[in-house]
Amino acid sequence: MTTTRHESGRRSGSSRRPTQADVARLAGVSQTTVSLVLSGSGAAQRRVGEEVSERVLRAIELTGYVANPVAQSLAGGRTSIIGVYTYEPVFPHDAGNFYYPFLEGMEDEAQRLGVDLLLFTSMAPSHRGLTGGSGIRRLRVADGCVLLGRHSSPDDLAELVRQEFPFAFVGRRETPAGEVPFAGAAYQDATASVVEHLLELGHRRIALVNEYTGHESVEDRARGYRRAMAAAGLQPVTFDQGDRDAGDLLDALRASGMTAAAVSSDVVGRLRRAALDRGLTVPGDLSLARLGDPEIREDADVDWTGFLIPRMQMGAEALRIVARRLAGDEDTDAQVFIPCTLVDGSTAGPLAPSA
Amino acid sequence: MTTTRHESGRRSGSSRRPTQADVARLAGVSQTTVSLVLSGSGAAQRRVGEEVSERVLRAIELTGYVANPVAQSLAGGRTSIIGVYTYEPVFPHDAGNFYYPFLEGMEDEAQRLGVDLLLFTSMAPSHRGLTGGSGIRRLRVADGCVLLGRHSSPDDLAELVRQEFPFAFVGRRETPAGEVPFAGAAYQDATASVVEHLLELGHRRIALVNEYTGHESVEDRARGYRRAMAAAGLQPVTFDQGDRDAGDLLDALRASGMTAAAVSSDVVGRLRRAALDRGLTVPGDLSLARLGDPEIREDADVDWTGFLIPRMQMGAEALRIVARRLAGDEDTDAQVFIPCTLVDGSTAGPLAPSA
DNA sequence: CTGAAAGCGCTTACAG
DNA sequence: CTGAAAGCGCTTACAG
């Protein structure tokens, strides 16, 4: 019963939508004049006479004319669309909505800026990145783009920078190709503050536990940790979380005489549970500070000491960076760090006298 | 320090991206031929010779050419962009992510279909609807559009139908202007099933509690309720939830001798608490069935009897409807009802012998 | 099988 | 102050 139409699904639309030409005909002016009247940009606006302008406006009213954004875009105008490219699905199925707050912030800001958000979902499945496929060009439907996702591609970044495409990353990113615009979390300062807090509690043997990747967000935390330890004249000790069992990790910390640890958010939960399993107390036997709220919400009942990632603000700021660049503000800060929220919870406590 | 550039922020891009003309020059053919080679549509593809075709393909490789979607669109091609217009913010700040699952389903499906999602956020703030402003025209950046949101505008629907724009609503919608494509929840069947469940538990005095709006989703539930009651030869009794206090509502139900109630999801929680406050038990003194999971997650600990709204599937199906229409399948079902998940929880129980 | 040409609906120099 | 014209990068009849 399926009839394949010959029009191959092109937009039909009973009556063709009015164009500038239609308006011009009705107003008795040239199409150029209509365009001029509409391009509200001060200089151009003033170029057409009061009376003619009104005639055009009336004709617009009558015809119900609205500009075709596609044509505007092709002719060199703007689409008022900002793309959002994510290196992972934006809406994950699992409970922890890591990306959700980013988008939340972006949506808010998009409304404020009067732009639409184009979610590039079609490129995601392959995860080959943008440069590989037809991706990078596809972004250009939009005026600019916000990129998102942990596993970004260095090639893409380099290409984007080289092309001077107006974009911004959510989270700090680096490339040898040049300066990457981003709205990142101030992990370095946040981590330093967390360590200082542990120092104030009397701890001296404070470990850092993190991944072994060279990811920017990991690096920033490590830098903050080292900075605070160095300032206190203490020896930084870093434990790779690797794939090892949380119990083994715990044993290693204890064996090294650590009394406190600043731990990446994706293992801190398991570490705490391993401690409890061994009959230890937190923070009695070991103080634990969490470096950011994890992607997957877990141990929500635990009152973690540590910091929170300002996801909404990061999303909003990334959009603002793109918008500023589109507005021609080249001198504006294109690399923005947003402070994290510090939380003085109950997983870190004073150094036990026995220790 | 802010230097306003004269280029007014237009995409700069160090080197202009290659166009079909560039490819044609390199391959020594006409621009038309390049277009023909690329427009893979069987018929057209076959029109160009094997050897020429390969030469073009090689030139494309060399130049790194990728089609400009904006130009394609203007020339009558496709953008592979499907819009998503919501009548409320997509990402609400409050805890209950009502729209989140819809988008989740859409994103999945968009990946599968190879289309991108354009979130029309810029039009949302005014909430004037599409028709009022420049909205409806703006949708046309996309090939088609999915609409979303409780408070949709009848004028928009009528206009969209009239224009034969390929769209679909998430949730059933009606307009005198014609048939509205939608992916809705089968509220009628689900409500009927819930009522039948209450009947099986021995209840005879079963009330329906709902809003007084004429919203399609409310109507569908009411129809299902009436259908089931009529089939059992019982008198349907509907209580408007209005703005009244949940306590008053409860008293009214009790005064009318109701032993069970099928209740709209946004009051059922308050109703239950009102019952508990008065020292009553649920389901001992009153059986409660919830007609859908609410927008705002609350009483998550309660094991509600009732049904769940298949939000993800609705989002995905709405996108599929649009895609089918774009593909030219005019005969396909454009009005789809998706079954709700029935939950046999513990807020409804057998009719107490005393009653 | 291939190409010259028109056209999609705009913007923007460039002339009057 | 206004308009004729070119051009954005494609697709699609229409001729050869």
Side-chain angles (χ1 to χ4, degrees):
Chain A
M1 273 301 269
T2 301
T3 310
T4 309
R5 295 277 260 14
H6 279 109
E7 297 84 26
S8 77
R10 282 221 39 206
R11 297 163 190 157
S12 17
S14 39
S15 58
R16 195 174 54 76
R17 305 249 66 201
T19 69
Q20 289 191 349
D22 297 323
V23 174
R25 215 167 300 128
L26 187 64
V29 297
S30 74
Q31 179 262 114
T32 304
T33 302
V34 176
S35 175
L36 251 22
V37 170
L38 283 161
S39 66
S41 63
Q45 178 82 301
R46 219 152 291 136
R47 278 188 48 203
V48 16
E50 188 72 20
E51 199 228 0
V52 173
S53 180
E54 263 176 28
R55 212 152 13 110
V56 170
L57 259 11
R58 206 154 34 230
I60 287 173
E61 191 81 30
L62 281 172
T63 54
Y65 167 83
V66 186
N68 177 342
V70 173
Q72 284 181 308
S73 174
L74 185 59
R78 292 287 185 67
T79 50
S80 283
I81 296 174
I82 292 185
V84 178
Y85 181 81
T86 62
Y87 285 90
E88 16 255 312
V90 191
F91 306 111
H93 283 109
D94 28 48
N97 316 343
F98 180 54
Y99 292 104
Y100 187 82
F102 287 137
L103 287 177
E104 211 174 323
M106 281 186 231
E107 188 193 29
D108 267 14
E109 198 55 34
Q111 274 191 200
R112 223 163 281 138
L113 296 169
V115 301
D116 293 317
L117 256 29
L118 179 57
L119 259 39
F120 291 99
T121 55
S122 64
M123 299 185 284
S126 61
H127 278 214
R128 288 176 312 183
L130 293 165
T131 322
S134 59
I136 217 162
R137 186 57 186 279
R138 204 149 162 50
L139 292 186
R140 297 195 170 254
V141 209
D143 290 336
C145 192
V146 169
L147 306 209
L148 195 68
R150 194 170 176 75
H151 306 290
S152 57
S153 144
D155 289 348
D156 290 351
L157 283 181
E159 184 62 18
L160 251 13
V161 167
R162 204 191 59 70
Q163 289 192 9
E164 295 179 39
F165 186 69
F167 79 103
F169 220 100
V170 178
R172 185 172 79 80
R173 289 296 181 284
E174 283 180 346
T175 172
E179 201 174 77
V180 178
F182 64 77
Y187 291 131
Q188 187 174 334
D189 288 347
T191 305
S193 297
V194 163
V195 173
E196 282 155 15
H197 177 62
L198 295 172
L199 288 166
E200 279 163 22
L201 289 170
H203 296 279
R204 286 296 168 270
R205 312 207 47 132
I206 305 171
L208 173 69
V209 179
N210 61 188
E211 301 172 45
Y212 49 74
T213 67
H215 197 277
E216 286 86 345
S217 62
V218 176
E219 271 179 16
D220 290 351
R221 286 173 172 87
R223 235 171 255 159
Y225 165 72
R226 281 191 234 105
R227 192 180 82 195
M229 291 296 276
L234 296 172
Q235 171 66 40
V237 186
T238 301
F239 290 73
D240 277 359
Q241 68 188 58
D243 297 324
R244 59 205 300 187
D245 181 71
D248 293 347
L249 185 55
L250 178 70
D251 293 341
L253 285 168
R254 302 274 298 170
S256 315
M258 297 295 153
T259 64
V263 188
S264 92
S265 61
D266 46 339
V267 278
V268 72
R270 297 209 307 272
L271 197 57
R272 174 178 160 277
R273 260 173 278 126
L276 300 185
D277 284 351
R278 274 168 173 57
L280 301 175
T281 63
V282 173
D285 297 296
L286 181 68
S287 279
L288 253 25
R290 194 173 72 166
L291 304 177
D293 39 331
E295 308 190 9
I296 311 292
R297 306 238 176 290
E298 49 173 16
D299 303 295
D301 49 317
V302 179
D303 177 28
W304 291 106
T305 292
F307 65 80
L308 267 23
I309 301 171
R311 296 197 168 94
M312 276 190 58
Q313 293 95 308
M314 290 166 75
E317 182 60 31
L319 209 56
R320 257 178 261 132
I321 290 172
V322 175
R324 282 201 297 261
R325 193 144 155 214
L326 288 173
D329 284 1
E330 293 289 334
D331 290 357
T332 320
D333 249 358
Q335 304 200 137
V336 180
F337 285 103
I338 297 164
C340 299
T341 307
L342 297 172
V343 182
D344 186 0
S346 56
T347 57
L351 179 66
S354 59
Chain B
M1 272 300 268
T2 301
T3 309
T4 308
R5 297 276 260 14
H6 280 110
E7 297 84 26
S8 78
R10 281 221 39 206
R11 297 165 190 156
S12 17
S14 40
S15 58
R16 194 176 55 77
R17 306 250 65 200
T19 69
Q20 289 190 347
D22 297 323
V23 175
R25 215 169 299 128
L26 187 64
V29 297
S30 74
Q31 178 262 112
T32 304
T33 302
V34 176
S35 175
L36 250 21
V37 170
L38 284 160
S39 65
S41 63
Q45 178 82 300
R46 219 152 291 137
R47 277 188 48 204
V48 15
E50 188 72 20
E51 199 228 359
V52 174
S53 181
E54 262 175 29
R55 213 155 9 113
V56 170
L57 258 11
R58 206 153 35 230
I60 287 174
E61 192 81 30
L62 282 172
T63 53
Y65 167 82
V66 185
N68 176 342
V70 172
Q72 284 181 307
S73 174
L74 186 59
R78 291 288 183 68
T79 50
S80 284
I81 295 174
I82 291 185
V84 178
Y85 180 81
T86 63
Y87 285 90
E88 16 257 312
V90 191
F91 307 110
H93 283 110
D94 29 48
N97 315 342
F98 181 55
Y99 292 105
Y100 186 82
F102 287 136
L103 287 177
E104 211 173 323
M106 280 186 232
E107 188 193 29
D108 266 14
E109 198 56 35
Q111 274 192 199
R112 225 162 281 139
L113 296 170
V115 301
D116 293 315
L117 256 28
L118 178 56
L119 259 39
F120 290 99
T121 55
S122 66
M123 299 185 285
S126 60
H127 278 213
R128 286 177 313 182
L130 294 165
T131 322
S134 59
I136 219 164
R137 187 55 186 282
R138 207 152 158 49
L139 293 186
R140 295 193 171 256
V141 208
D143 290 337
C145 192
V146 169
L147 305 210
L148 196 68
R150 196 171 173 73
H151 305 291
S152 57
S153 142
D155 289 349
D156 290 351
L157 283 181
E159 184 62 18
L160 250 16
V161 167
R162 204 189 60 70
Q163 290 191 8
E164 295 179 39
F165 186 70
F167 78 102
F169 219 100
V170 178
R172 185 174 78 80
R173 290 296 182 281
E174 286 179 344
T175 172
E179 200 174 78
V180 179
F182 63 78
Y187 291 131
Q188 187 176 334
D189 288 348
T191 305
S193 297
V194 163
V195 173
E196 282 155 15
H197 177 62
L198 295 173
L199 287 166
E200 279 163 22
L201 288 170
H203 295 278
R204 288 296 169 268
R205 311 207 48 132
I206 305 170
L208 173 69
V209 179
N210 62 188
E211 301 172 44
Y212 48 77
T213 65
H215 197 277
E216 286 86 344
S217 62
V218 176
E219 270 179 17
D220 289 352
R221 286 174 172 87
R223 236 172 254 161
Y225 165 73
R226 279 190 235 107
R227 192 179 82 195
M229 290 297 275
L234 296 172
Q235 170 67 41
V237 187
T238 302
F239 289 74
D240 278 359
Q241 69 188 57
D243 298 324
R244 61 205 299 185
D245 180 71
D248 293 348
L249 185 56
L250 177 70
D251 293 341
L253 285 168
R254 302 273 297 168
S256 313
M258 298 295 154
T259 63
V263 187
S264 92
S265 62
D266 47 339
V267 279
V268 72
R270 298 209 307 274
L271 197 57
R272 173 177 160 277
R273 262 173 277 128
L276 301 185
D277 284 351
R278 276 168 171 57
L280 301 176
T281 63
V282 173
D285 297 297
L286 181 67
S287 278
L288 252 25
R290 194 173 71 166
L291 305 176
D293 41 330
E295 308 190 8
I296 311 292
R297 306 237 176 293
E298 49 173 16
D299 302 296
D301 48 317
V302 179
D303 176 27
W304 291 107
T305 292
F307 65 80
L308 266 25
I309 301 171
R311 294 196 168 95
M312 276 191 57
Q313 293 95 309
M314 290 167 73
E317 182 60 32
L319 209 56
R320 257 179 260 132
I321 291 172
V322 174
R324 282 202 297 261
R325 194 145 153 212
L326 288 173
D329 285 359
E330 291 291 333
D331 290 356
T332 320
D333 249 358
Q335 303 200 136
V336 180
F337 285 104
I338 296 164
C340 299
T341 307
L342 296 173
V343 182
D344 186 0
S346 56
T347 57
L351 179 66
S354 62

